[in-house]
Amino acid sequence: MLCTRCRIRTAVTDDGLCTFCSGTRPALPDGLMPPVPGPGGWGTGTWPRSPVVLSRAVVALLGAVIAADLFAIVTGLRVRDLWDRLATGGAPAVHGEDGELAERLSAAAAAAQTATYLATAVVFIIWFHRTRRNAEIFDPGAQRMGPGWAVGGWFVPIANFWFPYRVAAGVWEASARPRPAGGWRPVSRTPLNLWWAAWVGTLLLSRASGRMWDRAEAPEEIVRAAGLVAASDALDVLAAVLAIVFVRTVTRMQVERAALREVPPAPEPAAP
């Protein structure tokens, strides 16, 4: 039977929870602790690498995505309003200077969305891959997909609706901070689940709105399509905000997790 909370691992307790969700997972074996640490708990090789700088870049770029989406919503609603006037009252403003300006601004917004999205995707995937590598060091037993899927999982058709989530779930588990007395402290997956639900919803809605916009010919059809495109952009804003929460939470957990790795004392200088 699967765990009633995470629906991934096997339930082991009487109330239907797995070892992680119930907080009873054993501590990491001593053999997983590397003998030589890097500065400040971070390093290379068998030591985790800090995701802090990358996370700041991702958050900044997600802020740019939000700004581009808001710009697109404003310009898109302006185009919708002009076509709505034509559909309901026969006002020809959409074919005049106002319409041309609205179309140019809408095209500029679309270009800004594309640029910010691509830049954010590149940096986010780099950050995602680094946190997955760190998770392999923190707790390899919690990983169900290899580090390569942190990159490749986004590009596999159909599977990209699920594979990155499985990678993120493993990273989330491995980054959880253990209890001082032993065992593992369960961390709610709400930020992860909300972000992923919004992300998948954005993908589906954007595809539907794009097809509707491409097929729209009559003014009434253009009005409906423009409204759906604006709704898709609004959902993308929500997904970007939730992505910021997810990135900041995972980064904070990994920083705290790395800080628990004890640094052995420096060897005393040899006697002359």
Side-chain angles (χ1 to χ4, degrees):
M1 183 181 70
L2 293 178
C3 173
T4 57
R5 180 178 299 174
C6 68
R7 296 292 181 180
I8 294 178
R9 294 165 298 275
T10 303
V12 296
T13 62
D14 294 337
D15 52 355
L17 298 179
C18 64
T19 54
F20 178 80
C21 293
S22 62
T24 59
R25 185 170 52 165
L28 289 173
D30 293 337
L32 294 178
M33 299 298 292
V36 182
W42 301 102
T44 58
T46 58
W47 272 84
R49 299 180 63 188
S50 174
V52 172
V53 174
L54 283 172
S55 71
R56 292 171 180 170
V58 172
V59 169
L61 287 170
L62 285 170
V65 168
I66 293 173
D69 283 338
L70 293 176
F71 181 37
I73 291 172
V74 173
T75 58
L77 291 178
R78 176 57 178 167
V79 171
R80 180 184 183 279
D81 179 64
L82 291 174
W83 280 102
D84 185 55
R85 292 182 187 179
L86 179 63
T88 57
V94 70
H95 298 301
E97 294 183 359
D98 288 347
E100 292 179 359
L101 177 60
E103 290 291 344
R104 286 197 298 269
L105 291 176
S106 181
Q113 284 180 300
T114 300
T116 55
Y117 179 85
L118 291 177
T120 304
V122 170
V123 180
F124 177 88
I125 289 176
I126 295 174
W127 170 86
F128 194 54
H129 184 260
R130 175 165 298 185
T131 57
R132 173 59 184 84
R133 286 289 188 183
N134 290 345
E136 190 76 22
I137 299 172
F138 293 146
D139 187 2
Q143 311 311 308
R144 292 160 187 82
M145 304 192 74
W149 287 111
V151 178
W154 298 95
F155 303 100
V156 180
I158 306 301
N160 57 7
F161 285 95
W162 178 244
F163 282 7
Y165 176 83
R166 286 181 59 84
V167 175
V171 171
W172 191 273
E173 291 182 22
S175 303
R177 187 174 181 177
R179 291 190 177 99
W184 293 80
R185 180 178 296 133
V187 181
S188 172
R189 287 193 189 183
T190 300
L192 168 61
N193 294 335
L194 289 178
W195 162 63
W196 191 252
W199 164 252
V200 172
T202 298
L203 289 180
L204 298 176
L205 188 58
S206 63
R207 293 178 183 178
S209 62
R211 286 195 296 267
M212 181 180 290
W213 178 262
D214 292 337
R215 296 173 182 174
E217 295 181 358
E220 295 81 2
E221 295 175 344
I222 296 177
V223 170
R224 290 193 294 269
L228 192 61
V229 170
S232 174
D233 291 335
L235 184 57
D236 193 58
V237 171
L238 176 61
V241 172
L242 293 172
I244 290 175
V245 175
F246 169 71
V247 169
R248 290 175 60 88
T249 302
V250 170
T251 302
R252 174 179 52 79
M253 288 197 301
Q254 290 208 342
V255 169
E256 294 176 351
R257 186 73 176 81
L260 297 177
R261 304 170 73 86
E262 297 181 357
V263 178
E268 297 182 1

